[in-house]
Every structure is written in C-alpha cells, then in structure tokens.
Amino acid sequence: MSKYLAKYLNPKAISAIGGFVVNPKGLVEGNMAGAHKSPFHGFSVEFAGHREYLPGDDPKHIDWRAYYKRDKYLLKQYEADTNLVCQLFVDVSESMRYGSSELTKFEYANYLAVSLAYLVTKARDKIGIGLFDDRVVQYLPPSNSLGSTYTISAMLEDFTPSKKSEIDKTLLDFAERIGRRQLVILISDCLLDIEQLKYGMARLQYDRHEIVLLHVMDPYELDFPLDGHVKFKGLEGLEELKLQPKQIRKAYLEKVNQHIQKLRSACEASRAEYVLVNTGRPIEEMLFGYLTSRLTHLTRGGRS
Amino acid sequence: MFSFVNPFLLSGLALVSIPIIIYLLHRHQVKEMEWAAMQFLQEIIEEQQKRLRLEDLLLLVLRVLMFVFLVLALARVGFKKGSVTLLGDRGDALVVVDASYSMATKQGPRTRFDAARSKADAIIRELPKGHGVSLAKGSEQSETVLGGNLADHDLVRETVKEMQVTDFAGRPDKLVGYIREFTKKSPSVDQTVFLVSDFQEQDWGSPNDGLKSALTELCKKHTVVFVPVGDGSDANLFAADLTLLQGAVRVGQTAHFAGSVLNQGSEIAEDVPVELIVDGETIATRTLSVGPKQTAEVLFSHAITQLGQHRAVLKIGQDANPADNKTYLSFEAHDRLRVLAVVDQPPAEGIAKPTDFVELCLNPFRDGSEDPRALYNFVHIGMQELLAENLSEYELVLIADVNSVTATEAKHLEAYVQAGGGVLFFMGNNVSPTLYNDNLHRNGEGLFPWPLIDAPIKNDDKKQPLLLSIQQADHPVWRHLVSGKKNYMDTVRFYKTLGFKPSESKRAISLATVPATDSEAAAIAEFTLGTGKVIVVGSSADLSWNNFAACPTFVAFIQEALKRLRIPRLEDKQFRVGASVTEQVTFEQSQSTGELINPQSESRSVSVLKEGGRYVMHLGVLGFAGVHTLRESGSADGREFSVNVNPHESRIVSMQTSELSKIYGPMGVVVDGSSDLSVAFANIGAGSGLSNLCLLLAVLFWISENLLAHRIARRQG
C-alpha cells in the first residue's frame, strides 16, 4: 500500500460513482470465482449439462440418476461465474501534457484511471494498468487488492510524459501481456494514426477483449477559441507554427470532427466503445454520466 | 506628376501607417503556447497557408489604399503630365486678359477682345466653386483689376464684362514679369494662370531667352494656360504718323502736314480714305492705295488762323483694327520766332551774309524776315556782340563761318545749350579749327565733344566732291531726305569741309561722314549738352564749299534741324502710349501743383518735386492715345501734347494653337485653342474627376475590405 494518499483518487468522484460497478458487456475470463459470467463451465449453481467421467474427476459430481438411465458415468456441469479483469491502457505520450485549464489531459486521464481502478477493486475484480508512449513503458499486472488503486495512482504521479506515441506496436505488446476476454480501457488523446489504432484494436478484438476508448480532449482542442497571433509550439517534437487561430477555426473544427468521426468508425469496426472525454467537464460528472449510460446499455442488453 | 488643392491635407497620408502599424504590432504581439493537436494545424496550414497570407496581405493593402485614396480625395488631387500641370483642382486662378490695342481687331462682328472676354467668362464659370479668382489686364503696363483671389466668381465675371481694350502695346516679357510678380505676392501657393490673348506672332513667335526662362520658371510652380483668341489675318492699316512739314507754324499762314499710312497686311489696300481733322474740323480727305507692308504718305495744307495751341488728327477709314486708325498731333501757332544769326563781322546792310541761305529756307520770301508772312525773325549780329545778347529769347542761334569763339563766348553758348537751347554751326573759310578746339572742344568738355581736324578736307581734284556718307538714317534731320533706299542727299556735293575726328562719346552722334586722310571724319554731327543740342555742319552755309545750300534738301534739313534744336517744349514733343514722362518746370511754376487731363477727360493731380536742383513733374505712364493737357491747378489754360499708339502693336498677325504649343509646350505651358476650352476644362474636370475618383476608390476599397473581412469571419465561423 502506498505510503501516502492517492493523489488522483478524487473524493468527489468517488462519492459520485461509488455506487457503480464496472460490469463487462460480455463474457470475461477470470481466474477466480466472481460476480461475472465466465465462458467456462464449472461447478457452481446453475446446471449447464453433463460430460463423461474421466479418471481424476471428483466422484461427488457424478450424476447417479443419469448413470441409472444411461449406464454411463456422467458428471453434472454448471455455468461458472468468474471475476472481471480490467486492464487500463493509458497514453502517456507528450501530447497528453497539454491542458488549457488547471488539469492537463494526462492528469485528467490519471483521475479517470484511478477512479476506475477504485471501482473495479471495490467490486473485488482485478485491475491492471499499462502506460504507453512509443512503447509500453510500465505495466502493472492485474490485482484485486484495494491497494492497487494507490499503487496505480503513485505510478502515474511519478510519470512525466515526454515521448511520442505509437499505438500499433504498443497495443500488440500490451495484448501479449494480458490474457483473453478482459475489459480493456484505453485512455488516450488519440493524436495518433487511426490506422495504427485500428490495427491494435483488431488484435485486442481477436482476444475477445471488451474495448473501451476514452478519448481525452481538452476543451480548447475541441472548440479552438483562441484569438490574435499565436505561436503554437508543438508537443511530441512537432515544429512551431505562427497563426491567427481565428482565421482557421472553422477548418480546424472540421478537422477535429473528421478525426473524431474516424475514431468512432474505427471503434465500431473493432466493436469498441468510443467515449469522448472533454477535460473541461468535472471528472465526477463525466464518470457518472459514462457509467450511467453504460449501466443503461447493459440493462437494455439483458444483463445486470 | 500630381498637384493638390489642399496640399496640407497630405499630412493625412500618415494615416496610411495605421493599418501597417496595427498589422506589425499584431505580428509582434504573438502569444506563445504549447499545443498538442498540431497535426490538424499542420494539415490546415498545408492546405490554406498561401490563401491566408494572401488574404492578410490583401486586407492590409486594401486598408492602406483606402486611406491613401481618402487622403488624396480630401487633398483634392489633380495630375500633371510631364512638366505640364493639366489643371487639377488647383488653388486659385489668375485670369489675365490681354488688353493691348491689337485686341481691338475685329474678327467678324466681334473683336478679339470680345472673344477674350467670353473666354475669360467661360474660364471663371467653369472654375470650381470656392476657389479664388483674380483678374488682370495684360499689356506692357499690366494691371490687376481684381486681386485677392475672390471667391465671388459672379463679381469677377461682371467685371470681365466691363473690361475695355487699352491703348497700350503688348510686351510678352513685361506681361510674364507681371504674372511672376503677382504669383509671388499671392498667398496661394500654386495657381493656375490663364492668359487670354491674341498672341501676336511678332511678340510671341520667337521668344528670347529671358522670356523662355521666365515662363519655364513660372510653369514649374504654377499652371500656365495660353488661351489664344486671334485669327491668322494680317489685314490692318495703321495711321503711322502726322507731322508738320515746317519747323513751326505761323498764325495766318498755311501749315503743311505730312501723314503716313502703313499697310501691315499682305494685300494691297486700295482707296483708303485718309482724313485730316484740325481742331475738330475735317480739313480734307484723300484717298490712298497702300501696298502690302508699305507706307504711303499724304500731304495736307491748312491755314491756321488762330494763335495758340491746335490739335490735328490723321484718321483713316475703318479697317480690321480701329484702335490704330488715328494719329494725333498737337502744335502751336506762333506769331514770330526769333533766330539769332551770328557771323564774323557785324553784317552790313545789303551785303550777302553766310546765313542768307538758312534765312531763305526758313523765310522763303523775297524780303526774308522782313516779309510780313515770315515766321522767323532773324536778328543778325557780329560775333563780338554775342555776349550782349540774352540767348534765351531766341529759338535758335545760328553761327556761320565765324573765325573763332572766345572762352567767354563759349561759356555763354554752353549755358544757353545747357538750359535747352540749340545752336546750329556752319563752318567756312574764316574758321580756325585750332581756335575752335581751344574753347569749344576743351578736351571733350566743351560744346564739341570731338575735336575738329586741323585742316579742311577736300579732294586733290577740287572739282571732285567728297563722298558724303549719311549716318543715322533714322535721325530726325533726315526725316524727309533719307529713308530705306531713298536718299535725296546723294545730290549734295561737299567739295570742302571741316571734319570732326570721332571718338567714344555719349554726347556726340555723327550724321554724315566724309573720307579723311586716315579715317572717316564726321562732316555733320550732333552734340548734346545738358538738355540742349548743337548741330555742326562742317561745310559752309553758302555755296563756297558745297552745293548744299542751293539744294532743295537744304530746306528740309534746316527745317528739321530747327525742330531738333529749338528749346524743347512739352507741346512740341510726341509721345507713345506707355511712355513715362517727366517735365521740367520753372521755379514760378513749381509753386503750385499741376493737373494732367487725359483724352478721356479724366484729370489727375501732379506734384512738383525738386530733383537735382531742378523742379520736375512726374506725369507718370501715359496710358491713352490722344491729346493730353497739362495745366496749372485752377488755371483754364494748359499745354497740350499728343500721345500716339505704339506702331509695333499694329501688326496683328496672331499665332495659332499648334504654333504656340510647339514653342511653349516644352516650357510647360498648356495651350488651349479649342472653342469650348475643352483642353483646359477637360483637365479641370479630370482634376475634379480625379479627386472624385479617389473618393470612389476609397469607398470601393473600404467595401472590398469589409467584404473580405466578412468572408474571412464567416469562414472562421
């Protein structure tokens, strides 16, 4: 456990979203019994079917009634419930350092990650986290310890974004590190090559992960309300540009919307959930809204 | 080259710097910020950078141009083409109407001056409101009619209608000088000067260097527009001269007048009526035919019955220019004029005297001075009696064949000449050149500035006359004897003569020369001393050394010499219009003021001033042709003198627009010979139009700037 309180564990956010549980939309593969449906059959409550006895099976699971009827040793099988493994994959490239208000995108992403980690661990599910820029710079394997929240917060606190992001490589690397059928929450400002993103997300989809893309954007990036002559100093090593923002605002907004639209399309293609996160909104409000909509979606889908 | 009505407003061009300063300030007031989503900006820049820069520059240019044209419009810009200002909305205008008497020439039913007034009226009417106009009469004595750059154009136009032709001649150099002075004194920095004139070829056709440089200088600072109104006709007759054939007129005797008419045209003028009017009464009318560029003389005789002053006018029939159809002569009819005839010894009764031929010329009667008809009363004395005579009582002192003149006698004569008297010397066998030189030459300070050559000049063959060569053919003594190719003096034979050795002297003129030993010697000379004159004939007054005294030419010579030598009186002088006259008066006359009455019966008071020990009256510039009267204030009687127009102005051939443009265009003068002043006023319109165009452009640029800014704003969302 961390020696100090988690910086990014926002009390307001916790109090607002404390009642929510992060449920996966589909089946998940945990390694512990839990509250979430598993794709595997096991020995739990709900009957799933029979299979022949094999040497080594516990004889107590033999369905004797079936033996009498079919003269075979058949074992009773039940649907298995397992825990959720949620993997956070947070973009720590230099572009995340931008913020027009008191919070940078990186800080906002950190608040999101820690808050989600808190919700996950609170439900006794496992939370893991990977940080990436042009590679996976840090990875914390999943844990259902409540202390994970603090560990994650501390890990993020100690990190300073400084590099360019490369999403395809890093997502492949990340996919190698995690198992299958997990909830993967990608937090990024998505200032990257969308084709690379699609490629990475396809790899995750192959492993039947549920993917959520939290697209973090600063309100200035979304609205471009600048005036006068501005020299834009590019993060991630891009050259400077001297512009009159007013002159290009409309074109800029068009570009941003096109980008968002492309991201949405990419997410749809990968059956990923796309969430646009405006860092101008309070975190608790954003999370509350998101989790509420997620809950609504799940309910409508027949799961609880 | 541009010109401006309100050049001070050009300082407003500094406003042009405002958009530039704002643009530069904005460029330098750059906020720096880190930015993550550079990829979008880069894409936009790649797509739109050129357009954005172009729009930025276009906006800046539109704003700058808007200010530039706004300021130009407010400064009321006009434009110059080359060095010639094509009349923009210039500050003020000076309209100079040529009022020299050639402008009285008729062109159809109207005169050139009528046309000039119409042009001047049109110019003033077309000038933009609010711009000052001054009006002047142009001539050798140009005068400002309305100065002060009046904004009331109607008043100036009314004044133009009342302007009249003067009797002055036109002198381009004086006219341009006047314009330069006017523009220098005018508070208006740059003016448009309209000169409406007939631009006589003789004056304007070949400008001298002074006129060229003066006009060029004027054109550098101001706009000068020549508006020619004359046509190319040259048909004009000029009543050139009217003189008395005799030296003076005796009351009760017949006066003989010689009039001359000059045909300035290129065609013969036939049946020209010439009329002599004496004291308002037509004496006679003759008819003349005058060849082109020729002068024809006509003689009149008229008995003068009254003592005192008379007026004669030679008048020719109507022609193109009536202003030069009269020539005036004022003369006085005398009872008797005294002539002092001095010879070596007291003349005995009945003995021929050397002065007899002269007396006969002046009193052409058998009894000479004794004849009751004789005008001249000859008083004959010997040289030794000279000092006893009061010379001022004589019209002329005639000295003939006197051996010598003593120093006292020389002084006596010098005093007489100095005061205006005249002495006519004839030489002869008795004359001692050496003694003459002692007292009359006195190293150039005596009556004779030149010394007499010691010995008489004669040919070796005594029968061969000396070759007499006439000098100064335009001198009055040769008036009826020598003119052009005509030389009646070629019948005169000088067999022997004394001669002067000519040298540099302002007081001496050689009138005729004969070949001497080493050079030409002056056989007839005129000397001046003070206000008087001396004429010396080196030969004799009788027939001993020549045949002159027996020639008819002698009469004319003596008559003219007498006129020349007589004590000059105002009434005997003939003046030209434009002359500035100063008249000497006696001490008694100086006690009161004078009054000058011109032919228009306008009187002007004239003060007596003391200058250099003399009392003088400055009559000023004589501006009218006709007979003037100078009288003592309050007195009914006065002295009359005649003033005639300058013959130079009677050549009326005008230059046309193309000729004027060719000569004066390079100097920067605009020549507008169009009937509707379209050259000048198209340009005034262009100037005004240019100003309006600037305003229109400023508005257009303002609208364009707004449209572009609006479009950019829309694109910016």
Side-chain angles (χ1 to χ4, degrees):
Chain A
M1 195 158 164
S2 178
K3 58 186 174 184
Y4 47 82
L5 284 175
K7 177 185 171 185
Y8 293 115
L9 194 57
N10 187 334
K12 276 188 183 175
I14 297 307
S15 63
I17 62 171
F20 286 94
V21 176
V22 180
N23 284 320
K25 289 179 182 174
L27 304 175
V28 290
E29 291 182 13
N31 56 2
M32 293 165 62
H36 311 292
K37 281 196 174 182
S38 168
F40 307 113
H41 293 162
F43 306 98
S44 186
V45 180
E46 288 189 39
F47 176 73
H50 292 95
R51 72 167 171 86
E52 283 192 13
Y53 173 78
L54 293 172
D57 286 338
D58 191 349
K60 72 178 182 183
H61 293 298
I62 295 172
D63 187 349
W64 294 107
R65 287 187 181 184
Y67 172 72
Y68 295 127
K69 288 180 182 174
R70 300 183 58 182
D71 196 19
K72 281 184 182 175
Y73 293 107
L74 296 171
L75 290 183
K76 267 187 168 178
Q77 284 199 318
Y78 302 88
E79 284 186 353
D81 283 345
T82 187
N83 62 340
L84 166 71
V85 179
C86 177
Q87 298 281 2
L88 296 171
F89 198 47
V90 180
D91 183 354
V92 291
S93 65
E94 199 182 1
S95 64
M96 291 291 282
R97 204 153 50 79
Y98 176 72
S100 62
S101 56
E102 54 192 15
L103 288 182
T104 63
K105 292 190 281 185
F106 179 62
E107 288 168 330
Y108 201 95
N110 292 349
Y111 276 113
L112 284 177
V114 171
S115 301
L116 289 170
Y118 171 78
L119 280 184
V120 169
T121 52
K122 186 173 156 258
R124 309 302 295 171
D125 291 324
K126 286 185 176 178
I127 186 80
I129 187 166
L131 307 183
F132 75 97
D133 43 34
D134 59 348
R135 61 190 174 86
V136 179
V137 289
Q138 281 193 38
Y139 178 65
L140 186 66
S143 164
N144 62 352
S145 161
L146 282 174
S148 298
T149 307
Y150 298 97
T151 308
I152 290 168
S153 179
M155 189 173 88
L156 292 168
E157 278 174 47
D158 291 341
F159 199 86
T160 306
S162 61
K163 289 187 176 175
K164 202 176 168 184
S165 62
E166 284 188 26
I167 193 69
D168 52 347
K169 268 192 331 188
T170 51
L171 271 179
L172 290 179
D173 185 11
F174 190 63
E176 295 295 326
R177 292 176 191 233
I178 62 176
R180 299 178 74 246
R181 290 182 185 268
Q182 295 180 356
L183 175 60
V184 177
I185 300 176
L186 178 60
I187 305 174
S188 170
D189 58 2
C190 294
L191 296 173
L192 36 76
D193 187 344
I194 291 175
E195 290 305 313
Q196 289 183 3
L197 178 66
K198 280 165 81 175
Y199 181 72
M201 286 200 300
R203 175 68 181 81
L204 291 173
Q205 192 194 10
Y206 177 78
D207 285 340
R208 307 223 175 178
H209 294 298
E210 179 187 344
I211 308 165
V212 176
L213 174 60
L214 297 182
H215 181 198
V216 184
M217 286 197 82
D218 190 88
Y220 270 39
E221 289 177 334
L222 284 169
D223 198 37
F224 207 53
L226 300 167
D227 200 358
H229 283 72
V230 181
K231 188 196 270 183
F232 294 98
K233 299 170 84 173
L235 297 172
E236 299 190 12
L238 291 170
E239 62 182 20
E240 293 179 351
L241 286 175
K242 205 189 278 184
L243 292 170
Q244 292 185 65
K246 244 186 159 177
Q247 288 186 342
I248 57 165
R249 182 170 178 270
K250 195 174 179 184
Y252 173 86
L253 294 180
E254 280 174 11
K255 291 275 175 200
V256 169
N257 289 332
Q258 282 174 11
H259 185 69
I260 290 171
Q261 204 52 48
K262 283 181 184 172
L263 283 173
R264 282 185 196 280
S265 303
C267 287
E268 278 174 19
S270 305
R271 295 189 178 176
E273 185 183 2
Y274 173 85
V275 180
L276 178 62
V277 178
N278 183 342
T279 62
R281 284 177 77 187
I283 292 161
E284 61 276 16
E285 190 183 316
M286 182 268 148
L287 278 172
F288 186 84
Y290 168 62
L291 291 170
T292 305
S293 73
R294 185 176 173 82
L295 185 61
T296 311
H297 183 72
L298 287 176
T299 309
R300 210 177 284 153
R303 288 294 305 263
S304 65
Chain B
M1 215 170 168
F2 293 97
S3 59
F4 304 92
V5 174
N6 305 316
F8 60 94
L9 286 179
L10 287 179
S11 55
L13 278 177
L15 290 174
V16 169
S17 61
I18 292 175
I20 298 172
I21 289 169
I22 290 173
Y23 177 78
L24 292 174
L25 280 178
H26 272 263
R27 277 179 72 93
H28 286 89
Q29 285 180 345
V30 177
K31 289 181 281 187
E32 285 191 10
M33 66 186 301
E34 289 188 326
W35 188 254
M38 289 296 284
Q39 66 192 70
F40 305 133
L41 300 183
Q42 281 175 331
E43 285 173 21
I44 292 165
I45 290 304
E46 279 170 20
E47 292 167 7
Q48 303 189 1
Q49 190 170 30
K50 277 185 184 171
R51 184 171 58 79
L52 292 172
R53 278 189 184 169
L54 195 68
E55 281 177 351
D56 258 11
L57 273 176
L58 195 59
L59 269 180
L60 179 65
V61 168
L62 287 173
R63 285 168 186 162
V64 167
L65 287 175
M66 181 183 75
F67 278 114
V68 167
F69 283 105
L70 185 65
V71 170
L72 288 178
L74 291 176
R76 310 284 299 268
V77 63
F79 63 86
K80 285 183 174 183
K81 182 180 177 185
S83 61
V84 182
T85 302
L86 291 180
L87 306 187
D89 291 340
R90 304 300 293 265
D92 297 313
L94 168 65
V95 180
V96 183
V97 181
D98 183 359
S100 61
Y101 77 78
S102 65
M103 293 292 285
T105 304
K106 285 182 181 170
Q107 298 177 159
R110 304 172 75 212
T111 64
R112 290 178 182 178
F113 197 72
D114 292 335
R117 280 191 301 205
S118 299
K119 293 271 186 183
D121 184 71
I123 289 166
I124 299 161
R125 191 176 62 237
E126 292 295 331
L127 283 171
K129 294 287 177 198
H131 292 247
V133 185
S134 301
L135 183 67
K137 268 184 181 181
S139 67
E140 61 182 329
Q141 287 290 330
S142 298
E143 61 171 318
T144 306
V145 179
L146 285 173
N149 298 318
L150 297 177
D152 186 352
H153 292 188
D154 292 337
L155 173 65
V156 184
R157 288 176 64 195
E158 285 301 316
T159 310
V160 167
K161 286 177 190 165
E162 291 168 11
M163 286 174 81
Q164 297 293 331
V165 176
T166 66
D167 290 330
F168 286 110
R171 283 270 303 276
D173 50 346
K174 285 194 170 185
L175 182 54
V176 172
Y178 162 79
I179 293 170
R180 288 183 74 185
E181 284 302 311
F182 183 92
T183 50
K184 269 185 202 169
K185 288 175 190 168
S186 173
S188 185
V189 178
D190 88 47
Q191 297 210 343
T192 305
V193 180
F194 294 90
L195 176 55
V196 190
S197 170
D198 56 355
F199 295 101
Q200 284 166 276
E201 191 178 32
Q202 57 184 332
D203 292 331
W204 296 90
S206 43
N208 56 31
D209 291 341
L211 179 60
K212 282 181 188 171
S213 65
L215 263 175
T216 307
E217 282 300 309
L218 191 64
C219 289
K220 280 181 187 168
K221 295 177 184 171
H222 307 281
T223 308
V224 180
V225 186
F226 281 2
V227 182
V229 292
D231 59 11
S233 68
D234 62 354
N236 183 39
L237 294 167
F238 173 49
D241 199 12
L242 179 63
T243 55
L244 281 168
L245 285 175
Q246 63 266 55
V249 177
R250 185 173 181 199
V251 67
Q253 298 299 308
T254 300
H256 302 283
F257 300 90
S260 61
V261 177
L262 171 63
N263 180 5
Q264 293 283 23
S266 52
E267 290 181 9
I268 188 167
E270 293 180 332
D271 302 329
V272 178
V274 184
E275 186 179 0
L276 178 73
I277 302 164
V278 177
D279 297 329
E281 181 188 344
T282 302
I283 304 304
T285 302
R286 305 263 191 279
T287 302
L288 285 180
S289 289
V290 191
K293 312 293 181 198
Q294 301 291 313
T295 301
E297 285 201 345
V298 59
L299 300 176
F300 295 95
S301 297
H302 176 59
I304 305 299
T305 55
Q306 287 188 343
L307 202 62
Q309 291 184 329
H310 300 270
R311 299 176 175 191
V313 181
L314 181 78
K315 184 181 171 187
I316 58 178
Q318 288 300 311
D319 66 342
N321 187 357
D324 59 359
N325 286 356
K326 285 181 182 175
T327 185
Y328 301 89
L329 172 70
S330 63
F331 62 95
E332 189 171 4
H334 305 273
D335 184 14
R336 297 282 285 228
L337 296 174
R338 285 158 62 90
V339 174
L340 183 64
V342 184
V343 292
D344 220 4
Q345 298 296 326
E349 196 72 30
I351 302 297
K353 302 176 282 294
T355 56
D356 285 348
F357 285 91
V358 177
E359 188 177 355
L360 189 62
C361 289
L362 296 177
N363 293 326
F365 311 107
R366 182 180 174 182
D367 296 332
S369 299
E370 302 303 319
D371 192 285
R373 295 169 291 175
L375 170 63
Y376 297 97
N377 180 17
F378 270 70
V379 177
H380 297 275
I381 61 167
M383 191 62 189
Q384 64 272 31
E385 298 169 71
L386 181 70
L387 293 175
E389 293 291 334
N390 180 5
L391 299 183
S392 63
E393 292 176 359
Y394 296 95
E395 293 290 320
L396 175 73
V397 174
L398 170 66
I399 300 176
D401 198 19
V402 170
N403 174 252
S404 62
V405 179
T406 64
T408 319
E409 291 161 352
K411 288 281 181 193
H412 193 47
L413 286 170
E414 281 173 25
Y416 169 62
V417 174
Q418 190 90 37
V423 182
L424 178 60
F425 278 95
F426 281 91
M427 302 300 155
N429 287 316
N430 292 327
V431 172
S432 164
T434 313
L435 294 174
Y436 268 55
N437 285 339
D438 288 346
N439 296 317
L440 289 174
H441 173 54
R442 289 213 324 275
N443 296 320
E445 293 182 358
L447 272 183
F448 297 175
W450 293 338
L452 278 169
I453 297 170
D454 292 341
I457 303 163
K458 58 185 178 182
N459 272 331
D460 294 337
D461 181 358
K462 292 180 182 176
K463 290 182 181 176
Q464 285 296 318
L466 294 161
L467 182 63
L468 188 68
S469 174
I470 301 298
Q471 310 292 317
Q472 307 285 336
D474 56 348
H475 192 276
V477 294
W478 305 131
R479 184 192 296 263
H480 303 291
L481 302 176
V482 181
S483 83
K485 291 178 182 175
K486 179 180 74 177
N487 181 11
Y488 295 121
M489 285 295 287
D490 57 7
T491 59
V492 175
R493 304 279 183 265
F494 274 27
Y495 296 99
K496 191 174 178 183
T497 182
L498 283 171
F500 290 97
K501 191 175 182 182
S503 60
E504 279 296 318
S505 173
K506 289 181 180 174
R507 295 202 290 125
I509 303 170
S510 174
L511 298 175
T513 58
V514 291
T517 313
D518 47 356
S519 62
E520 293 283 306
I524 303 175
E526 179 187 275
F527 304 134
T528 307
L529 185 66
T531 53
K533 288 186 172 60
V534 176
I535 292 178
V536 182
V537 179
S539 198
S540 62
D542 54 18
L543 298 173
S544 57
W545 284 8
N546 57 57
N547 71 345
F548 191 26
C551 288
T553 52
F554 194 60
V555 179
F557 176 80
I558 293 296
Q559 291 276 2
E560 292 303 323
L562 180 69
K563 279 198 234 172
R564 182 87 176 151
L565 294 173
R566 278 180 59 194
I567 296 170
R569 295 180 181 87
L570 182 66
E571 49 271 41
D572 294 328
K573 295 176 185 171
Q574 287 206 7
F575 299 100
R576 294 290 178 190
V577 173
S580 184
V581 177
T582 298
E583 173 65 4
Q584 187 173 350
V585 296
T586 61
F587 174 75
E588 289 75 23
Q589 289 169 326
S590 73
Q591 302 307 303
S592 63
T593 58
E595 186 182 13
L596 179 68
I597 301 160
N598 68 19
Q600 311 290 317
S601 301
E602 297 163 348
S603 82
R604 178 160 56 87
S605 175
V606 185
S607 302
V608 179
L609 303 172
K610 190 174 183 183
E611 287 180 0
R614 299 184 306 155
Y615 295 98
V616 293
M617 286 194 288
H618 292 293
L619 304 187
V621 175
L622 302 174
F624 296 94
V627 176
H628 292 61
T629 306
L630 178 65
R631 68 187 181 195
E632 200 174 325
S633 293
S635 166
D637 299 324
R639 293 180 290 158
E640 293 185 342
F641 59 96
S642 59
V643 179
N644 289 304
V645 294
N646 194 321
H648 176 78
E649 189 71 12
S650 64
R651 284 190 62 196
I652 58 166
V653 183
S654 292
M655 290 180 75
Q656 300 307 299
T657 307
S658 56
E659 298 166 327
L660 284 168
S661 297
K662 193 173 171 185
I663 297 172
Y664 295 97
M667 297 177 206
V669 176
V670 179
V671 181
D672 187 352
S674 61
S675 58
D676 56 354
L677 292 166
S678 57
V679 175
F681 286 99
N683 290 319
I684 285 177
S688 176
L690 190 60
S691 180
N692 292 337
L693 180 66
C694 286
L695 189 61
L696 183 67
L697 284 174
V699 172
L700 277 178
F701 286 127
W702 177 72
I703 291 170
S704 305
E705 189 267 346
N706 270 276
L707 286 174
L708 184 60
H710 182 64
R711 192 182 156 187
I712 292 169
R714 278 188 64 184
R715 192 171 58 244
Q716 289 166 357

